[in-house]
Amino acid sequence: MGAEPSAERKRTRIQIRNSEAILEAALDVFSQAGFRGATLDQIAEAAGLSKPNLLYYFPSKEAIHTTLLAGLMDSWLAPLAALRADGDPVEELLGYVRRKLAMTRRYPRESRLFANEILQGAPHIHAMIAGELKALVDEKAALIADWAAQGRIAAVDPRHLIFSIWATTQHYADFDAQVRGVLGPAEPDPLVAAEQFLTHLFRAALTPPSR
Amino acid sequence: MGAEPSAERKRTRIQIRNSEAILEAALDVFSQAGFRGATLDQIAEAAGLSKPNLLYYFPSKEAIHTTLLAGLMDSWLAPLAALRADGDPVEELLGYVRRKLAMTRRYPRESRLFANEILQGAPHIHAMIAGELKALVDEKAALIADWAAQGRIAAVDPRHLIFSIWATTQHYADFDAQVRGVLGPAEPDPLVAAEQFLTHLFRAALTPPSR
DNA sequence: GTCTATAGAAGGATAGAC
DNA sequence: GTCTATCCTTCTATAGAC
């Protein structure tokens, strides 16, 4: 806790460029092999640097991993954070489903990085889950509960609704190998059919019975 | 490929006992740390054997892993295999959801073992996914498509329905760390509320519009 | 069948020249 | 800032006594 405002110090262009190349390469490798399965050799090769040079930019393998996770956190929470109280509740929640699915499509490596981490018991992000993430879920769950109490959506458990949205959307990134294997090589883009199905699934479950 | 009918040879009681202790310990360790993250030391300690003794029963770390996966395959597919053509289609599918959720409750380690494997690209079970699993899904998807064509369930994509059932039920085992962190320490058993929510979710999505 | 000891390889991290 | 060389630990697997 020195005088520096953060871990980000003044850096030259080349330092910024190399740091970003390392994080990009590390995302590739960590998301595919997990933390223990990834090696500095693989990351160094993917980044086009030597192994010692990697450790000139980051003090350790763990530091690279931690930097990655922390840097991705905000954008990972953005789709849920964007859930608004105004507008039609059912459409608002379906919009969340679509935003989350768009994340899966665009950032499958990030999804697998988090999946690996949580699957191993979330050793590096325990605090964030029980803190930042829980707070966000609590806030949005209260909003959803309000909607349900007003009869504007069906009576559902808000937290398990959120879990099911996470599970169904991230499935297409995290279990991609299984999805592709089961659908076969002919299938072009599973996410198109997935969006249609999930829209039906959650619209049917959320539409209140009275209308 | 010798004259032996399979890898299972004649074995004494103590051999059977030790083999099972190793597989039980390996399930613990592999499911928590993944293949690369697990070490023979951990497995040996959990099994109450020495490391060389482990390798007396199995030729390699990989052999333990492969034996585990292969041995669990049938029981893992059982809930879907039990989907029957007779009875009410909606209730039949809800029964599948409940059976799958019961697997999650009873066999969370098995769920995480498979999740780890698929997350890393399913290197050891590629063939099984594109073969046995795909065949089973194709068969049951055809049954579900028939139900939909007859208007006995809503018109849904059968394969993505199956994916969503896998995703939502296994989520409570694979992402247990996140579920517990978000719900907080007070929550006793997330799976009770989960079963209620998922029953509503899939009943609403599957019930045909006309009745 | 089970152990101690150890070989051999891989991986994270550091030293020090340039 | 980047490299070569290397240290040291960890890990899989084997050798060989009992």
Side-chain angles (χ1 to χ4, degrees), chain A residues 173-182, chain B residues 118-122 126 129:
Chain A
D174 303 344
F175 295 79
D176 177 66
Q178 183 172 250
V179 168
R180 289 185 189 282
V182 165
Chain B
I118 295 167
L119 195 49
Q120 324 267 311
H126 246 135
I129 287 176

Side-chain angles (χ1 to χ4, degrees), chain B residues 119-199:
Chain B
L119 195 49
Q120 324 267 311
H124 304 98
I125 57 174
H126 246 135
M128 173 271 169
I129 287 176
E132 204 178 342
L133 179 60
K134 182 181 191 305
L136 179 61
V137 170
D138 284 347
E139 175 200 334
K140 300 305 180 183
L143 172 60
I144 296 169
D146 277 350
W147 286 336
Q150 297 166 15
R152 301 176 70 194
I153 62 168
V156 296
D157 185 313
R159 284 176 183 79
H160 290 275
L161 171 65
I162 291 173
F163 290 155
S164 70
I165 293 173
W166 290 349
T168 50
T169 54
Q170 294 177 8
H171 185 82
Y172 291 94
D174 303 344
F175 295 79
D176 178 66
Q178 182 172 252
V179 168
R180 289 185 190 283
V182 165
L183 291 182
E187 213 72 15
D189 185 358
L191 284 178
V192 173
E195 176 158 348
Q196 193 175 1
F197 171 80
L198 293 178
T199 299

